[in-house]
Structures are given as C-alpha cells and as structure tokens.
Amino acid sequence: MNTTRRLDGRIAQGWGGGKPHGCHVNVVLADRGSPTAAAMMTTYTAPAEGFTPILVSVGPDQPSYETVHPPTLMMNKARADPGLIAGACQVGIAQGVLDVVAAGTLVADQETLVFVSIWLDPDAADETAAKRSSREATRNAVGEATTGRDPAAVERLVGERDGLTHPFYGGDPG
C-alpha cells in the first residue's frame, strides 16, 4: 500500500441494503490540518436539531468505548430513529471503515479523517439490517474514495450521458 498518497478531498457515495432498511452514505476523506479537515470539523461542531454529529466509537458500554481509526465522523442526512443511527448505523459505519483498513487501502492512523453522511430509510426498524446496510454502503464509498472509481463505470456513464435520468427527475431524459 502507498501510505504517502494524499487522500485529502476524495469523495464517494455508497448504497447498502434495500427497502425498508436501505442506506446511502456520502464520504469525504481529509488529511489532518487541511482545509478539508477544517470544514469537516466545523460541520462536526455545529449540530442542528435532529442532526447529531458522532465520533464513531464502539464497545459494550461507555467507559470502554474505543474510537475507530482512522477517526471517523458521522452525521445523519435526514431525521431518522436516533437509536438506529447512534447504535446500528454507527457500528455498521465502524465495520465498513475497518473493512477498508483490512483491505489495505486505508491506514488506521490519526492523519486521515473520514466523514460519513448517512441516510437511512425512514421505514427501517431492524437493527441488524440497518447495521448491515450501513456497513455495506460505507465499505463501498470509502473503498471507492481510496482506490478511485472503476474506469469502466465512468466510461459507461459518459457513453450513456444523453439518456441519464434520476428517480427525482420526471422530465425527458434526452
């Protein structure tokens, strides 16, 4: 692994699971001390009602919590069940980040910060399904942010650009 490669400002998205426990994340990676890290920390220190920034940590009880490395900050993108976000999704995000560390494309140190913005399906109710979907989404997004987008996927999008659409767009795709 190339540990000298700068990851600052790399972004990606990832999906995990399906209805009603689906999850979508956006990920930003930052090098400690960079303007990207400063912007991330500003977001982290400026919560709004219903939107809770969390330093991702895990453990059986509060005195034994361990912070995931690289340090990972999460924030929900939409109002969601706080128990699922702070519990199941936090564990899933931790596992997803650590999956990428285990794959050798991200170093578990204090020099890289991971920011994860998460949307969990509002109908989600199953903790295990929410954990699994947030793990999958995070692993996919952090993996893409560290290794880059699949060139074949980029080429496909370029080739199909005139017919692209989106679920929130109902107009003519042409």
Side-chain angles (χ1 to χ4, degrees), residues 116-165:
V116 180
S117 179
I118 183 169
W119 173 87
L120 179 66
D121 190 307
D123 295 329
D126 181 289
E127 284 185 303
T128 301
K131 177 187 69 99
R132 287 179 181 146
S133 65
S134 60
R135 180 181 189 167
E136 177 185 4
T138 303
R139 179 180 56 242
N140 292 341
V142 176
E144 181 178 308
T146 58
T147 62
R149 179 76 189 229
D150 175 16
V154 173
E155 187 176 321
R156 180 186 53 76
L157 280 175
V158 170
E160 297 173 0
R161 68 189 176 279
D162 291 332
L164 296 178
T165 189

Side-chain angles (χ1 to χ4, degrees), residues 49-139:
E49 185 178 341
F51 298 88
T52 305
I54 296 172
L55 177 61
V56 175
S57 54
V58 293
D61 55 49
Q62 286 185 330
S64 66
Y65 282 172
E66 291 187 71
T67 303
V68 172
H69 277 72
T72 302
L73 307 172
M74 67 172 273
M75 176 154 331
N76 50 313
K77 294 193 276 187
R79 291 182 191 268
D81 179 329
L84 286 177
I85 293 293
C89 292
Q90 182 172 195
V91 172
I93 287 170
Q95 291 173 327
V97 168
L98 294 172
D99 286 343
V100 180
V101 169
T105 58
L106 185 63
V107 176
D109 63 12
Q110 282 277 338
E111 300 310 307
T112 301
L113 303 175
V114 179
F115 183 80
V116 180
S117 179
I118 183 169
W119 173 87
L120 179 66
D121 190 307
D123 295 329
D126 181 289
E127 284 185 303
T128 301
K131 177 187 69 99
R132 287 179 181 146
S133 65
S134 60
R135 180 181 189 167
E136 177 185 4
T138 303
R139 179 180 56 242

